[in-house]
């Protein structure tokens, strides 16, 4: 499978690195990058082919992965509009909808929308995927193979669900970092050192996540198993409930979902 990236950036670099690690040949990976410095770095680090513009040689591939900023996507897409034939197009630009991408690409129908998250930068991400009806099962599997180079994948049937994916996994790392930050602040307030607070907080979150992955039980059951009646955990959770921590958390995720939908509408406007 031959892949051409349009644009660079951290996520594109992570994908290229992940693809090479999972067995893709550098000869099958190309990047269209406007900046000469960026092209030189990509050649040096990954040994991939680099082009300044979407030439016929650059687009001699099976899949084109759009990795430019959302605000640049219309111009980037229109530069490809008359140059595509049967390539699968995969967009990793947050918020941009399939209908808008298709319109900018001149009505092109082989498009997959992907929403990776930042842990993909270390190969531990999860990417939400959805596709236009014109994308075949083989092409869906091809998109999975590409995105699984940086983690796991999850398909949604309706594009509207991509706003939820954005709110849960796209923004989710920030929620986890906020929790770690608060846990560290509490640890320091309890006279632990900053180094101790960091280690205890991060490894607690990491261990709990690993336990949740390996267990067949619901998160609620796992929580209950830690919560002894009249114990320290119960005291903590009762106080959090009184302060509305759970309700605030859920409300925040719902707000992210709403904002994702609004941004999709804004980004898709032609004027």
């Amino acid at each position: 499978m031959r892949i051409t990236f349009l644009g660079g950036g951290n996520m594109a670099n992570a994908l290229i690195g992940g693809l090479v690690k999972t067995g893709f040949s550098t000869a099958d990976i190309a990047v269209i990058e406007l900046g000469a410095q960026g092209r030189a770095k990509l050649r040096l680090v990954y040994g991939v082919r680099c082009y300044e513009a979407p030439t016929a040689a650059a687009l001699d591939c099976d899949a084109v992965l759009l990795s430019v900023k959302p605000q640049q996507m219309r111009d980037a897409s229109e530069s490809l509009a008359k140059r595509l034939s049967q390539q699968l197009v995969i967009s990793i630009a947050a918020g941009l909808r399939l209908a808008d991408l298709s319109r900018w690409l001149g009505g092109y129908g082989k498009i997959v929308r992907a929403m990776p998250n930042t842990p993909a930068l270390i190969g531990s991400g999860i990417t939400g995927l959805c596709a236009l009806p014109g994308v075949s099962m083989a092409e869906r599997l091809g998109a999975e193979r590409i995105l699984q180079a940086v983690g796991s994948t999850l398909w949604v049937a309706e594009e509207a669900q991509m706003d939820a994916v954005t709110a849960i996994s796209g923004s989710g790392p920030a929620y986890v970092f906020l929790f770690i930050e608060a846990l560290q602040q509490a640890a320091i307030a309890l006279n632990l050192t900053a180094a101790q607070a960091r280690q205890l907080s991060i490894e607690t979150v990491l261990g709990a996540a690993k336990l949740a992955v390996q267990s067949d039980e619901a998160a609620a059951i796992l929580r209950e198993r830690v919560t002894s009646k009249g114990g320290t955990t119960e005291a903590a959770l009762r106080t959090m409930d009184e302060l509305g921590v759970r309700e605030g958390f859920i409300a925040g995720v719902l707000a992210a979902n709403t904002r994702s939908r609004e941004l999709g509408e804004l980004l898709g406007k032609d004027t």
Side-chain angles (χ1 to χ4, degrees):
M1 187 177 191
R2 297 164 301 163
I3 307 164
T4 294
F5 288 77
L6 177 57
N10 291 336
M11 192 61 71
N13 286 346
L15 276 163
I16 293 169
L19 289 167
V20 172
K21 286 181 181 178
T22 55
F24 276 78
S25 169
T26 55
D28 291 330
I29 302 173
V31 183
I32 301 169
E33 170 60 57
L34 294 177
Q37 187 175 358
R39 293 195 301 275
K41 183 177 180 180
L42 287 163
R43 290 192 192 99
L44 178 65
V45 174
Y46 300 109
V48 297
R49 292 175 290 115
C50 295
Y51 301 87
E52 185 177 359
T55 61
L59 295 176
D60 182 17
C61 59
D62 303 298
V64 178
L65 199 143
L66 307 179
S67 56
V68 301
K69 294 179 180 179
Q71 296 81 359
Q72 301 170 329
M73 188 61 80
R74 181 182 176 185
D75 289 341
S77 298
E78 290 178 347
S79 73
L80 297 176
K82 296 181 181 180
R83 300 175 182 271
L84 297 173
S85 54
Q86 294 297 314
Q87 301 97 322
L88 175 66
V89 174
I90 304 170
S91 168
I92 61 170
L96 284 173
R97 298 178 179 177
L98 290 166
D100 298 316
L101 289 167
S102 178
R103 186 174 72 255
W104 296 337
L105 289 168
Y108 199 72
K110 291 181 177 292
I111 307 175
V112 169
R113 176 180 168 185
M115 180 67 230
N117 62 0
T118 54
L121 299 177
I122 59 166
S124 296
I126 182 166
T127 301
L129 298 166
C130 65
L132 287 175
V135 178
S136 68
M137 181 55 67
E139 288 166 334
R140 284 172 173 257
L141 292 173
E144 279 187 8
R145 186 182 175 203
I146 293 170
L147 273 303
Q148 284 174 357
V150 291
S152 56
T153 56
L154 172 73
W155 285 95
V156 296
E158 302 293 333
E159 188 177 13
Q161 295 175 300
M162 289 295 284
D163 295 320
V165 170
T166 301
I168 298 297
S169 61
S171 298
Y175 315 151
V176 177
F177 297 146
L178 175 62
F179 177 76
I180 292 172
E181 181 184 1
L183 207 55
Q184 288 180 229
Q185 289 174 338
I188 290 170
L190 293 170
N191 296 319
L192 293 171
T193 67
Q196 290 171 328
R198 173 182 169 82
Q199 182 178 359
L200 285 169
S201 300
I202 293 175
E203 292 192 20
T204 296
V205 171
L206 179 62
K210 286 182 177 179
L211 180 59
V213 168
Q214 294 178 18
S215 176
D216 292 330
E217 295 178 316
I221 300 298
L222 295 175
R223 172 181 53 77
E224 290 169 3
R225 291 222 170 128
V226 186
T227 311
S228 302
K229 188 171 180 61
T232 58
T233 308
E234 183 183 65
L237 295 178
R238 182 174 62 249
T239 300
M240 291 179 187
D241 283 342
E242 290 170 356
L243 293 172
V245 172
R246 181 192 295 264
E247 290 77 9
F249 185 90
I250 293 171
V253 175
L254 296 179
N257 178 79
T258 299
R259 185 55 179 161
S260 177
R261 186 170 61 250
E262 292 171 348
L263 287 173
E265 294 171 357
L266 290 171
L267 292 167
K269 289 183 177 179
D270 288 330
T271 57

